[in-house]
């Protein structure tokens, strides 16, 4: 998978491309269906399969909504590695891009830059200044622009259209079973292990402190998780919060992970933490002995939580 950032003076993909365009926040199963269709058509026609997205997301740029982002670009690209997409093009969404018309977007980005021969789009796709362009606009003008279009029906679960908004709602409701259904995988956050105060080691439960960029995600408490370390996956306990028993005052929100039985050095490693289920809320204990007893109970419940989730 090739990553391309920004527009270049020279057109890409000289033999042409099959393109899907969107925000793709969370990469839920509906997004994956679009990507799979792009890859299939590109292989049939001997073209390059391309996903075009934006950074930041347009709704972040305009700051019209308070919704939280499901994944950072690095996490997005990591999940995309599991697909067969040939290229990911990331355009910086700024005043210039926000101000171009739908016609300019088609001519400059899709035709001149990507040499798109075929588009695969969902029915909620909008583009161009003031969101003037949409699927209907493209269908009316596809003969003019000499590309063909596939409109892929939305993926559904339980009769409801799968969307990034629904994934956010499920996370807010702590419905991690539903999140797995909508994503077709567990919800994953990631970060690099940094030096901590080593208080977990003193308690007998060493933890990896994660440089956590997803503070906006509605996670708070103790979770049964799976941790990917250099491609190997381990069951673990994650705490997202302020550690009220140990900290003398409410501190900033942190993420730390305890991998039972793991003894190798994790400092500097980039970990992917998949949320399986919530075990409990964060609690302030009267003393460290009570905290130790609770952590032992959390570890004892880990296997059952993973088994119930079927992971």
């Amino acid at each position: 998978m090739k990553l391309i950032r920004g527009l270049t003076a020279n057109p890409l993909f000289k033999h042409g491309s099959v393109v899907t365009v969107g925000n793709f926040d969370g990469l839920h199963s509906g997004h994956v269906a679009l990507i799979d269709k792009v890859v299939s058509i590109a292989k049939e026609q001997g073209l390059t399969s391309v996903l075009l997205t934006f950074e930041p997301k347009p709704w972040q740029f305009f700051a019209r909504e308070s919704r939280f982002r499901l994944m950072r670009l690095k996490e997005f690209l990591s999940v995309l590695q599991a697909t067969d997409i040939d290229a990911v093009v990331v355009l910086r969404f700024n005043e210039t891009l926000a101000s171009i018309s739908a016609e300019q977007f088609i001519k400059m980005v899709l035709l001149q830059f990507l040499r798109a021969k075929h588009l695969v789009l969902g029915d909620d796709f909008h583009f161009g200044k003031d969101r003037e362009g949409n699927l209907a606009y493209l269908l009316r003008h596809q003969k003019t622009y000499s590309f063909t279009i596939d409109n892929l029906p939305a993926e559904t679960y339980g009769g409801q259209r799968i969307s990034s908004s629904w994934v956010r709602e499920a996370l807010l409701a702590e419905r991690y079973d539903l999140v797995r259904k909508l994503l077709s995988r567990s919800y994953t956050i990631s970060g690099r292990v940094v030096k901590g105060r080593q208080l977990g080691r003193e308690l007998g439960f060493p933890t990896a402190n994660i440089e956590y960029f997803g503070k906006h995600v509605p996670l708070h408490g103790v979770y049964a998780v799976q941790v990917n370390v250099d491609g190997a996956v381990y069951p673990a306990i994650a705490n997202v919060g302020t550690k009220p028993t140990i900290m003398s005052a409410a501190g900033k929100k942190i993420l730390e992970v305890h991998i039972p039985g793991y003894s190798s050095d994790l400092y500097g490693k980039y970990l992917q933490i998949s949320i399986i289920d919530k075990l409990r809320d964060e609690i302030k204990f009267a003393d460290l002995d009570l905290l130790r007893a609770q952590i032992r109970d959390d570890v004892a419940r880990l296997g059952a939580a993973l088994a119930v989730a079927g992971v």
Side-chain angles (χ1 to χ4, degrees):
M1 184 182 79
K2 185 176 183 181
L3 173 62
I4 300 160
R5 292 177 180 266
L7 298 171
T8 63
N10 299 316
L12 299 171
F13 321 123
K14 62 180 181 179
H15 298 298
S17 64
V18 180
V19 180
T20 188
V21 188
N23 290 319
F24 301 106
D25 191 24
L27 271 180
H28 57 64
S29 57
H31 295 149
V32 174
L34 283 171
I35 294 166
D36 288 345
K37 185 68 172 179
V38 167
V39 170
S40 175
I41 294 172
K43 287 181 177 178
E44 289 174 3
Q45 299 185 10
L47 302 173
T48 302
S49 58
V50 178
L51 182 149
L52 173 63
T53 192
F54 311 96
E55 191 68 29
K57 302 306 178 189
W59 55 265
Q60 288 181 293
F61 176 80
F62 292 115
R64 289 174 177 162
E65 301 179 45
S66 59
R67 66 178 121 162
F68 59 91
R69 186 162 166 173
L70 291 168
M71 52 178 24
R72 296 178 295 126
L73 180 61
K74 187 170 184 176
E75 293 163 331
F76 172 77
L77 295 173
S78 177
V79 176
L80 269 184
Q81 292 287 354
T83 74
D84 291 324
I85 199 79
D86 293 321
V88 180
V89 177
V90 180
L91 299 186
R92 172 154 291 281
F93 198 89
N94 52 23
E95 288 285 356
T96 300
L97 192 58
S99 66
I100 68 173
S101 67
E103 182 180 15
Q104 288 174 312
F105 184 86
I106 292 171
K107 289 181 177 179
M108 181 174 67
V109 179
L110 297 181
L111 296 180
Q112 180 181 328
F113 181 55
L114 299 180
R115 290 192 174 178
K117 303 294 184 184
H118 190 85
L119 302 178
V120 180
L121 303 169
D123 53 14
D124 60 343
F125 173 65
H126 289 80
F127 63 99
K129 185 178 180 181
D130 298 324
R131 293 164 57 90
E132 66 174 320
N134 55 22
L135 180 64
Y137 180 98
L138 287 167
L139 290 171
R140 288 197 304 270
H141 296 88
Q142 63 178 324
K143 289 184 179 179
T144 302
Y145 297 126
S146 300
F147 51 62
T148 53
I149 301 169
D150 260 335
N151 171 216
L152 211 61
E155 292 286 304
T156 61
Y157 177 70
Q160 182 174 337
R161 179 181 179 274
I162 296 174
S163 67
S164 300
S165 296
W166 194 9
V167 177
R168 292 187 189 94
E169 291 170 7
L171 281 171
L172 285 167
E174 300 185 341
R175 288 286 313 279
Y176 303 109
D177 55 338
L178 177 57
V179 171
R180 277 192 295 277
K181 296 291 186 182
L182 302 181
L183 296 180
S184 296
R185 64 182 189 282
S186 296
Y187 181 68
T188 300
I189 54 179
S190 60
R192 198 165 299 281
V193 178
V194 296
K195 287 281 186 180
R197 295 172 60 186
Q198 298 188 327
L199 297 174
R201 190 175 301 278
E202 293 176 16
L203 288 169
F205 299 94
T207 59
N209 292 271
I210 311 299
E211 192 176 39
Y212 177 43
F213 296 101
K215 299 177 182 65
H216 54 286
V217 176
L219 297 174
H220 197 103
V222 178
Y223 297 85
V225 303
Q226 291 179 313
V227 180
N228 187 311
V229 184
D230 296 332
V233 178
Y234 302 90
I237 300 292
N239 186 88
V240 185
T242 58
K243 301 200 293 187
T245 304
I246 294 174
M247 300 299 188
S248 58
K252 66 178 183 179
K253 190 175 180 181
I254 63 171
L255 166 63
E256 58 180 356
V257 177
H258 169 63
I259 306 176
Y262 192 92
S263 58
S264 299
D265 185 7
L266 289 172
Y267 288 125
K269 290 187 179 294
Y270 187 80
L271 305 187
Q272 296 171 307
I273 299 101
S274 297
I275 307 298
I276 306 304
D277 203 1
K278 187 172 183 177
L279 297 177
R280 60 176 174 86
D281 289 329
E282 195 174 39
I283 303 169
K284 183 173 183 177
F285 294 93
D287 58 52
L288 294 183
D289 287 338
L290 289 174
L291 175 57
R292 286 190 188 94
Q294 181 61 65
I295 296 174
R296 282 194 293 269
D297 183 63
D298 295 337
V299 172
R301 295 169 58 200
L302 174 58
L306 298 182
V308 169
V311 297

